[in-house]
Amino acid sequence: MNFFDKLISSIERNQSLLYVNLDPDPEVYPPNFENEQGLGLVDDGKLVEEWYRWLKAIVEQTANLVCAYKLTLNTYLGLGLSGWHLLQQILDHIPSTIPVILDAKHADLNSASLFARMIFTEWGVDACTVSPYTGQDLVTPFLVYPNKAVFVLCATANPSANLLQEYPNPAHPLYLELVRATQTWGTPEQVGLEVGVMADMLARIRRQAPERLILVQGNSAEENDLTEQDDLIQILAAGLGADGAGLLLPLPPRLLQRGTVTEAVRSLRDAINDERLRVMQGSPSCDLWLPDVCFLENEPHRDLILQLYDIGCIMFGDHVQSSGEVLPYYIDLRRIISMPQIFHQIVGAYAEILQNLNFDRIAGIPYGSLPTATGLSLRLGRPMVFPRKEVKTYGAKRAIEGHFQSGELVVVVDDILITGNSVMKGAATLQAAGLRVEDIVVFIDHGRQVMERLTENGYRGHAVLSLDEISQTLYQANHISSQQFKLFQQHI
């Protein structure tokens, strides 16, 4: 299982976006440590043994409450040979179902290949942080391992870093140029971003990279404290992806000092999930403040298009369409029913169109659009029917399933409009039963003047997305090549 899938499974299983820093940090010593032990005993075997017992206990108390663990390499190396030993002990103790991120900030190009092989094949970690200033050449050796991932450090909350991060000016900062560059270094499953706990900066990065996983750096400072509701709301509103995920949040170190670690982590996890739900519903309990700077142009469906690409709904290669035509690409929307968060967004996009139309019932065209029609029926509180592809030779032998009255107005929903034949055939079946059809709403309009064909047959056509919009967005995001872009454009 690759890092991304392992992480998603961990998030869903534990219902958590929290990760824990598992570090022998003298600033966060175990409760039974005496202050005077400090750094003076780093080579003392008893101290390292105490660290092991404490870190092991943290794993045992949080394994069902967090989505990942992060270990800072230099903190362990600072303990000498004993620290190297401690690192391996902790790695061995972490459950295999929870991904491990090694915070190495690796920056040496000459040793990148050897380092990647050691941490990925010998240590078995799932992801690693890297420093970006040697460019894509540094990241490439890590991407040789297809099931692993890297997080590129692009912005920190350290105040003195602003001199570099905001260069040449806050409106066009260096860190956003870095984000743009990293989007060509690897897929969203391979390359994520590491960002400091700063809501305004996080919001700008999320706008620039809507599909990237963001690892928020741990910060023990009181500013932007995730245990404070207002700070938590700002961070979530700024950094969450459109699907309510895409953000890994650090557990505040002081929660690990408490005697009831489990309860403290569970309480924060639940608070995050409550606010996360409010943000996804578009009604956070307070407004997010953003600086008065120039943002990139907003594209309402960009996030959704990128997610469809990431989950494999858009494929290349010769594919036979339902009409019998062979196209050099294929758009498969059936897999969205297995991904509730994306499906929720798609239903919402349909609903934005339907709420401005006049109709009594919703009809889905079998079989691809039946889940969507069902979701819209539940979302809008309108009854649903659907025309059968073929009338059964047994049972009630109905051409239309569901209750309806002759003369009622039905809006028809379908997934992709290529020729218009299947949706108009479904509409004709509904009309033959005495229902009226005026509006047809599809998710993707393939183009090729099919909307005009609907108009010629007496229907008003509406679409959430056009194939042209999809191809333009993917090309601008460097997700498809110029050749693939031309394939789309040639068939619109």
Side-chain angles (χ1 to χ4, degrees), residues 234-248:
Q234 286 197 340
I235 293 299
L236 290 176
L240 283 176
D243 59 352
L247 195 64
L248 303 183

Side-chain angles (χ1 to χ4, degrees), residues 1-15:
M1 181 181 294
N2 64 36
F3 166 76
F4 191 80
D5 290 340
K6 190 175 182 179
L7 177 66
I8 294 301
S9 297
S10 184
I11 289 173
E12 293 179 350
R13 182 176 60 254
N14 291 344
Q15 289 296 295

Side-chain angles (χ1 to χ4, degrees), residues 80-93:
L81 186 59
S82 297
W84 189 277
H85 206 39
L86 175 62
L87 174 65
Q88 191 59 59
Q89 285 182 296
I90 298 302
L91 288 174
D92 290 342
H93 192 69

Side-chain angles (χ1 to χ4, degrees), residues 453-473:
R453 186 180 176 203
L454 294 185
T455 301
E456 291 171 359
N457 283 270
Y459 305 112
R460 291 188 294 263
H462 314 266
V464 174
L465 299 171
S466 69
L467 191 62
D468 181 59
E469 180 183 1
I470 292 172
S471 60
Q472 293 282 356
T473 298

